């Protein structure tokens, strides 16, 4: 399953919708931005409804922002702020239309619209930060950074059968590949890569790495961990360093890990 497909899996959409509904309930009970005067039931329905509508708008725009980052190397936070600014517009129009009695009220589209726009933007970006804090980075901000190290040497190794190592993760997850060559972040999941198949698990990368004992490996990127025996070659891709693994998988290496890999004799 690719990262973009993963973002739209039914299971994860259900998880995110549940979190959105809970956030809407919290806002409904608090009644911010002058909504506390509403009857309780109406206030709860108002906030839950518009938080979920906001999710339906913000989520695809956020994914598109990730694609934009990858295409033009835009900084992560710049792309997210741009996505928030764009997604907030249609949401503000919808809320303004509802607040005007489901009709177009010319008097609303002035200072009141600007204030509502800023309120929606703050809430939208705040929910993004909350989700990032709750579930951790989704992997889309894990850019392959420019590397100013000397040209790496080729590792003289032939692809060979990777001996299965029973890790702590195997004891907890029975459906993962017998031979683990790498771990990669996708959304709030970790993809466990084997030579012939992969499996997704709902876990932070840092937790999954701790479960790799006694398999020897190293984190080489904020979104990647690789098994040492799985490395076939290292090569440059422009200014970036990449590791080619057994089975054809290629993994980016962040600048911070290049020296460690060299000192360990991995490259």
């Amino acid at each position: 399953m690719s990262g973009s497909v993963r973002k739209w899996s039914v299971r994860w959409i259900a998880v995110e919708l549940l979190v959105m509904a809970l956030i809407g309930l919290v806002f409904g009970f608090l009644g911010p931005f002058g909504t506390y005067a509403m009857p309780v039931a109406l206030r709860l329905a108002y906030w839950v409804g518009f938080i979920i509508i906001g999710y339906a708008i913000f989520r695809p725009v956020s994914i598109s922002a990730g694609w934009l980052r990858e295409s033009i190397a835009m900084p992560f936070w710049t792309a997210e702020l741009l996505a928030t600014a764009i997604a907030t517009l249609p949401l503000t129009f919808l809320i303004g239309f509802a607040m005007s009695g489901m009709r177009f009220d010319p008097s609303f589209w002035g200072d009141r619209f600007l204030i509502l726009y800023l309120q929606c933007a703050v809430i939208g970006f705040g929910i993004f930060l909350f989700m990032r804090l709750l579930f951790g980075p989704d992997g889309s901000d894990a850019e392959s950074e420019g590397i100013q190290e000397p040209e790496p040497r080729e590792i003289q190794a032939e692809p060979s059968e990777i001996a299965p190592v029973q890790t702590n993760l195997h004891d907890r997850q029975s459906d993962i590949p017998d031979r683990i060559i790498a771990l990669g972040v996708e959304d709030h999941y970790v993809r466990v890569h084997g030579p012939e198949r992969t499996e997704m698990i709902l876990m932070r990368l840092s937790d999954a790495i701790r479960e790799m004992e006694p398999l020897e490996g190293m984190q080489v990127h904020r979104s990647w961990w690789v098994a040492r025996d799985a490395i076939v070659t290292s090569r440059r891709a422009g200014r970036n360093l990449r590791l080619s693994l057994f089975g054809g998988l290629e993994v980016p290496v962040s600048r911070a890990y290049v020296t460690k890999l060299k000192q360990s004799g991995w490259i």
Side-chain angles (χ1 to χ4, degrees):
M1 186 190 310
S2 69
S4 59
V5 174
R6 171 68 198 87
K7 290 178 173 66
W8 295 106
S9 70
V10 173
R11 179 168 57 178
W12 190 250
I13 288 176
V15 171
E16 290 188 335
L17 284 174
L18 176 60
V19 175
M20 292 301 109
L22 292 174
I23 292 173
L25 287 174
V26 171
F27 275 101
F29 281 113
L30 294 177
F33 305 121
T35 60
Y36 194 78
M38 293 180 176
V40 175
L42 179 60
R43 190 170 70 236
L44 292 174
Y46 172 90
W47 278 106
V48 172
F50 277 116
I51 290 294
I52 290 178
I53 291 173
Y55 165 82
I57 296 173
F58 274 74
R59 194 66 171 102
V61 174
S62 179
I63 292 173
S64 298
W67 295 338
L68 180 64
R69 286 199 310 273
E70 295 172 1
S71 299
I72 64 174
M74 178 181 290
F76 173 76
W77 292 108
T78 301
E80 290 301 333
L81 288 171
L82 178 62
T84 299
I86 293 173
T88 300
L89 275 173
L91 180 61
T92 306
F93 276 110
L94 287 174
I95 297 177
F97 186 71
M99 293 176 65
S100 300
M102 305 302 290
R103 63 184 179 84
F104 181 78
D105 182 1
S107 67
F108 186 86
W109 313 107
D111 292 342
R112 293 170 62 196
F113 179 84
L114 178 60
I115 292 172
L116 181 61
Y117 175 85
L118 294 176
Q119 291 173 344
C120 291
V122 169
I123 292 173
F125 195 71
I127 290 176
F128 163 76
L129 293 177
F130 174 75
M131 294 291 283
R132 185 176 171 83
L133 178 65
L134 183 63
F135 294 109
D138 64 3
S140 63
D141 58 325
E143 302 170 2
S144 300
E145 300 171 28
I147 297 172
Q148 305 301 325
E149 297 288 328
E151 187 73 22
R153 64 182 176 85
E154 288 290 313
I155 302 171
Q156 301 302 318
E158 294 295 329
S160 59
E161 191 70 16
I162 305 299
V165 175
Q166 185 73 16
T167 67
N168 295 333
L169 189 62
H170 285 101
D171 296 335
R172 298 177 182 271
Q173 303 279 341
S174 60
D175 55 348
I176 62 175
D178 293 334
R179 299 171 177 85
I180 298 177
I181 63 173
L183 304 174
V185 173
E186 292 188 20
D187 255 351
H188 309 293
Y189 280 66
V190 169
R191 183 182 292 279
V192 182
H193 293 266
E196 298 177 349
R197 71 180 184 90
T198 67
E199 189 65 40
M200 299 288 284
I201 57 175
L202 181 56
M203 180 180 287
R204 292 176 182 269
L205 179 62
S206 58
D207 294 334
I209 291 174
R210 283 193 289 269
E211 298 293 329
M212 285 297 99
E213 295 290 340
L215 180 61
E216 183 182 6
M218 185 185 300
Q219 185 170 1
V220 298
H221 191 279
R222 73 187 81 176
S223 292
W224 285 95
W225 174 96
V226 300
R228 179 169 188 171
D229 290 343
I231 301 176
V232 177
T233 63
S234 66
R235 68 176 184 84
R236 279 202 185 277
R239 295 196 309 154
N240 302 324
L241 178 66
R242 303 184 71 85
L243 298 177
S244 296
L245 307 185
F246 176 74
L249 180 66
E250 287 200 347
V251 174
V253 179
S254 293
R255 180 188 307 167
Y257 294 99
V258 171
T259 301
K260 186 176 180 181
L261 285 170
K262 286 180 175 291
Q263 291 174 344
S264 301
W266 285 34
I267 61 175

